[in-house]
Amino acid sequence: MSLETRSNSALMKRAEQLKRWQDSETFREPSDLKRKKRRIGFSDGCMFLAACASGDKEEVKNLISRGTDIDTANVDGLTALHQACIDDNLEMVEFLVALGSDVNRGDNEGWTPLHATASCGFLSIAKFLLEHKADVAAVNNDGELAIDISESDEMEDLLQKEIDSRNINCEEAR
């Protein structure tokens, strides 16, 4: 095929595309709708998780006062409390727990905030969660306790002391 033939073919295809466009619903949409600015709306739950992640306590309180569930979760089942634990944000953990966040809520894998904290090795958060009734005997979907996935000797020691003080039989819990 010669260059001139290809060029003519491309021009004809473009003319066909323009014709289809002019016949489309989008092209026939009233012009005032075309000019109207479109806005993206996010759910209160999505805004809540973002506010928590950014540390915006006033926005968190505002959203809760509007009825947003403090235990709102993302698609993986992670709540704001899980995320604050993963981010080593003790201040947000304390804030969320004070507002009533569930310290024993599991994500889609059954990981509680204590599991997340143990796997990251954040002792101060683990201590705080345990002081606020975190279930040291909670198992995830793989049958693991927080102590099973702890990443440091210090975390393992802390969890073992709590297990012992609560007289928990780990094998029975699993």
Side-chain angles (χ1 to χ4, degrees):
M1 187 182 287
S2 72
L3 180 61
E4 185 178 330
T5 306
R6 280 193 299 237
S7 181
N8 286 340
S9 175
L11 287 173
M12 286 180 22
K13 286 181 181 178
R14 181 64 182 146
E16 289 173 19
Q17 288 174 334
L18 290 172
K19 174 77 171 109
R20 283 194 303 273
W21 164 249
Q22 290 171 348
D23 292 340
S24 73
E25 292 293 321
T26 306
F27 179 77
R28 285 184 265 155
E29 192 175 80
S31 60
D32 60 324
L33 288 177
K34 289 180 187 177
R35 281 188 232 115
K36 182 180 176 183
K37 289 185 180 179
R38 298 178 195 234
R39 295 187 58 172
I40 297 173
F42 295 99
S43 71
D44 282 354
C46 182
M47 291 189 306
F48 175 79
L49 292 171
C52 290
S54 69
D56 188 346
K57 292 179 181 178
E58 288 307 311
E59 182 64 10
V60 170
K61 288 179 191 175
N62 178 42
L63 288 161
I64 289 172
S65 72
R66 290 183 5 202
T68 302
D69 180 5
I70 194 163
D71 291 315
T72 294
N74 68 14
V75 296
D76 297 317
L78 293 173
T79 65
L81 182 58
H82 283 96
Q83 194 61 54
C85 291
I86 292 165
D87 294 342
D88 193 17
N89 189 343
L90 178 59
E91 185 179 337
M92 184 56 70
V93 169
E94 293 169 340
F95 178 72
L96 291 168
V97 171
L99 291 175
S101 190
D102 182 355
V103 297
N104 292 308
R105 170 123 180 210
D107 67 6
N108 294 351
E109 303 286 322
W111 283 46
T112 65
L114 186 60
H115 281 91
T117 301
S119 73
C120 294
F122 303 133
L123 284 172
S124 59
I125 293 176
K127 288 175 186 175
F128 179 83
L129 292 172
L130 291 169
E131 291 166 3
H132 289 83
K133 302 190 182 352
D135 184 2
V136 74
V139 295
N140 66 17
N141 294 357
D142 294 324
E144 297 167 315
L145 301 167
I147 195 170
D148 297 329
I149 55 175
S150 64
E151 288 295 317
S152 70
D153 292 338
E154 294 86 0
M155 181 66 71
E156 194 171 325
D157 290 344
L158 172 71
L159 296 174
Q160 188 62 57
K161 285 178 186 171
E162 192 66 26
I163 287 168
D164 294 343
S165 74
R166 295 185 189 183
N167 275 336
I168 293 170
N169 181 324
C170 292
E171 294 311 309
E172 285 179 12
R174 287 186 190 99

